[in-house]
Amino acid sequence: VQLQASGGGLVQPGDSLSLSCAASGGTFSNYAVGWFRQAPGKEREFVAAISRAGTVKNYAPSVKGRFTISRDNAKNTGSLQMNNLKREDTAVYYCAARQTVTGAVTSTSGSYNYWGQGTQVTVSS
């Protein structure tokens, strides 16, 4: 499956932004989806994950309550709604997919087989 992330941009603290992950070349509902981010000089970190059917979601503590992950299997898209953005959310955001037969989700980047190209999110006043 090929993934393409989009929707990044420059916003001010407190603003909202919605990222999209368009999938092609596979049966999207066979894949769990995760969002990761990497800030300059830092390692890639887990943001959120959603199960194949969208029934199980997991968030990093730093974004829980502010970010919402979702997916639309009929449209082969995943989304990450980000509210109340903070300067420390500044990073390149990546969507990733892992083929699975279960409804489990994981925060481990090494478990994801497919990655999008990343989209830059900058939070600055």
Side-chain angles (χ1 to χ4, degrees):
V1 65
Q2 292 81 46
L3 305 173
Q4 184 166 0
S6 62
L10 172 63
V11 296
Q12 295 185 345
D15 284 353
S16 297
L17 203 59
S18 182
L19 304 184
S20 293
C21 179
S24 61
T27 303
F28 188 56
S29 59
N30 288 343
Y31 298 84
V33 172
W35 286 92
F36 294 79
R37 67 187 182 186
Q38 188 166 19
K42 295 187 177 181
E43 294 188 353
R44 187 173 297 184
E45 65 173 1
F46 169 75
V47 176
I50 188 168
S51 62
R52 292 174 39 170
T55 53
V56 179
K57 302 177 185 180
N58 191 24
Y59 297 93
S62 60
V63 308
K64 197 169 186 178
R66 299 188 298 122
F67 291 12
T68 301
I69 190 170
S70 62
R71 65 188 298 159
D72 186 336
N73 286 343
K75 296 182 178 179
N76 292 343
T77 59
S79 298
L80 184 68
Q81 176 66 39
M82 305 184 294
N83 297 330
N84 190 22
L85 283 161
K86 304 177 180 180
R87 290 181 176 81
E88 51 264 40
D89 294 320
T90 294
V92 177
Y93 283 71
Y94 300 88
C95 62
R98 59 185 289 264
Q99 192 166 12
T100 175
V101 297
T102 74
V105 295
T106 178
S107 61
T108 304
S109 61
S111 297
Y112 291 83
N113 312 102
Y114 306 95
W115 291 80
Q117 83 286 5
T119 184
Q120 176 71 48
V121 173
T122 303
V123 185
S124 175
S125 54

